[in-house]
Amino acid sequence: METPHQNHINKADFHDVYEPAEDSFLMIDALEKDIDYLKAKKPIFCLEVGSGSGIVITAFSMAFPGTFCLSTDINVKACIMSKSTACYNKALHDSINMNLADSFTNNKLDVIIFNPPYVVTDSIECGQKDITASWAGGKNGREVTDKLLDMIPKKLADNGVFYLLLIEENIPKEVCEIMSSFGFNYECIIKRLVRNERQMVIKFFR
Ligand SMILES: C[S@@+](CC[C@H](N)C(=O)[O-])C[C@H]1O[C@@H](n2cnc3c(N)ncnc32)[C@H](O)[C@@H]1O
């Protein structure tokens, strides 16, 4: 998969929107590793939740030009940047200012991608709509992620796939147990140690 260009973004704009970092690139690498599996699925709809600068959903859209690509972000400035990243890279993509996947109708999404705010923080820091939403994950860094987990059985198509980035502090084993209780299988696609952070991308499928 190609990494989208970002020359159109002023460095100062990253005061308000998450600047792509190792976690963003790990998610792109995970999707690339799984590209044959994804191509075999011929996805019609792909949603990235929390798209930030739009680098991940744009990379997906460039690799899957026949897929209707959408993204959401709670931060309106991230939605605007995501759209501009897609345009600059001549990729098609629509961006919606929305909490998680709230307004999507049931079981229509073939692929869901989430690189969540995963840093362990006080709960009170969660739920902002600015740059804080990029990293503040509350208890175990899981408060936002857990809300999306609850939605996955209702939003994902029956043969759909959900890619989630986690760090060790998020207790990935517990996330896998929650998803198993909803009837999902799981597989760790990729792991990387980034400074002191053990990052991984896990895929969930029925
Ligand atoms: C770690 S950043 C990842 C950004 C981008 N996907 C990337 O990989 O570079 C998490 C993103 O999730 C967004 N976010 C946090 N809470 C959200 C929510 N409840 N609904 C939608 N987006 C949310 C943040 O605004 C931020 O853009």
Side-chain angles (χ1 to χ4, degrees), residues 172-192:
K173 188 171 167 281
E174 222 174 75
V175 172
C176 292
E177 282 165 8
I178 293 170
M179 292 303 285
S180 282
S181 76
F182 296 158
F184 286 85
N185 300 308
Y186 54 86
E187 184 188 334
C188 181
I189 301 291
I190 198 165
K191 276 188 182 184
R192 196 168 290 160

Side-chain angles (χ1 to χ4, degrees), residues 14-151:
F14 289 126
H15 288 304
D16 300 314
V17 176
Y18 188 73
E19 181 167 4
E22 289 89 343
D23 50 346
S24 322
F25 298 114
L26 189 68
M27 180 59 87
I28 294 176
D29 289 350
L31 297 170
E32 180 168 47
K33 239 182 139 183
D34 227 21
I35 199 147
D36 290 340
Y37 170 88
L38 281 164
K39 281 197 169 150
K41 284 204 171 290
K42 298 189 173 46
I44 298 170
F45 291 108
C46 171
L47 170 70
E48 184 186 13
V49 175
S51 58
S53 67
I55 194 162
V56 177
I57 191 68
T58 298
F60 190 97
S61 175
M62 287 158 73
F64 291 86
T67 301
F68 187 14
C69 292
L70 299 158
S71 69
T72 66
D73 206 292
I74 198 83
N75 174 352
V76 71
K77 290 184 177 169
C79 297
I80 294 165
M81 192 182 285
S82 291
K83 185 93 185 145
S84 72
T85 299
C87 282
Y88 189 77
N89 287 277
K90 301 191 171 27
L92 287 174
H93 152 247
D94 261 316
S95 174
I96 309 153
N97 185 208
M98 185 196 290
N99 177 53
L100 301 174
D102 272 357
S103 306
F104 284 91
T105 51
N106 288 345
N107 302 107
K108 290 280 187 281
L109 298 165
D110 302 297
V111 182
I112 300 179
I113 301 166
F114 194 27
N115 174 13
Y118 56 66
V119 178
V120 178
T121 63
D122 284 339
S123 295
I124 197 138
E125 290 184 80
C126 271
Q128 309 295 314
K129 295 186 173 178
D130 57 15
I131 189 71
T132 319
S134 299
W135 46 271
K139 189 172 177 230
N140 296 330
R142 281 257 304 280
E143 290 190 31
V144 181
T145 298
D146 282 356
K147 288 190 182 121
L148 185 68
L149 297 184
D150 281 342
M151 293 183 185

